[in-house]
Amino acid sequence: MRIGKRSFVILLLSIGVVLGGCSAKSGEEQAPGGQAAESAHAHGHQTQVANGDLQELTASADVLPEFLKGQTSEIQTVYALSAQVSDVLKHIPCYCGCGESAGHQSNLNCFIHEIREDGSVVWDDHGTRCGVCLDIAVESAKMSSEGMSLTDIRQTIDDKYGTGYAKPTPTPMPPAES
């Protein structure tokens, strides 16, 4: 699946994605960092990691994983958008509890485990089951499209989700703006 213009996608997403909470449970036994013993090696191969999430390797960010085929078009669009704004989402924490339950480092990890040097992408299906993850990604992308700085986006997300949500992922602050 390929996507069109970024502003169209953000407009489409700003209509709203209303889903339930995460299915991840705190305190479950898992490997350190929630990682599987092996990651996906072949394109299209799905690997289940210790926390129950699926990961799948595709050739690039333009090729969405097979695990999205049964999902709504809104969720598929958020995944495509997450790849487009990976430079933003890697600086934005997630507040669903996935830092502890899945070893995620940022909101990006709810959708993308890794973008490899060759451009291939290891996707994560965590975001398919979590409204908090989806909302944070959409809100962050929208603010970025409006020209907000990474620091301001981060502050807005921290202010909104800092109370009444799970502990945030251990996401480093964005670099100082020049």
Side-chain angles (χ1 to χ4, degrees):
M1 171 180 173
R2 294 193 187 272
I3 57 176
K5 295 184 179 183
R6 182 175 174 175
S7 59
F8 174 74
V9 172
I10 293 170
L11 175 64
L12 179 68
L13 290 172
S14 66
I15 294 170
V17 177
V18 180
L19 298 171
C22 290
S23 63
K25 296 176 185 167
S26 296
E28 290 182 348
E29 291 297 315
Q30 57 184 288
Q35 303 304 308
E38 279 183 49
S39 60
H41 293 292
H43 297 292
H45 176 74
Q46 293 182 356
T47 301
Q48 188 165 15
V49 294
N51 68 342
D53 289 350
L54 288 177
Q55 292 182 348
E56 182 178 333
L57 179 67
T58 65
S60 72
D62 292 331
V63 181
L64 293 178
E66 292 291 317
F67 65 69
L68 289 178
K69 289 212 175 182
Q71 299 294 328
T72 65
S73 61
E74 290 86 358
I75 289 175
Q76 292 176 23
T77 303
V78 176
Y79 267 79
L81 180 65
S82 72
Q84 283 189 334
V85 296
S86 62
D87 57 326
V88 173
L89 297 184
K90 71 181 180 184
H91 297 290
I92 307 300
C94 189
Y95 283 85
C96 78
C98 62
E100 293 179 343
S101 68
H104 291 176
Q105 298 298 304
S106 70
N107 183 246
L108 179 62
N109 295 141
C110 301
F111 310 97
I112 295 176
H113 172 71
E114 175 186 14
I115 300 174
R116 296 182 174 174
E117 285 186 33
D118 66 0
S120 62
V121 175
V122 179
W123 300 89
D124 192 298
D125 82 333
H126 180 83
T128 65
R129 299 178 304 282
C130 185
V132 173
C133 303
L134 294 163
D135 289 344
I136 290 172
V138 170
E139 292 168 26
S140 299
K142 184 175 186 293
M143 288 184 274
S144 177
S145 75
E146 294 168 349
M148 285 182 73
S149 70
L150 282 174
T151 303
D152 289 342
I153 295 168
R154 169 71 180 259
Q155 187 63 53
T156 301
I157 295 296
D158 286 344
D159 289 348
K160 180 174 181 177
Y161 293 92
T163 304
Y165 292 87
K167 182 180 174 183
T169 54
T171 310
M173 292 300 290
E177 293 154 38
S178 47

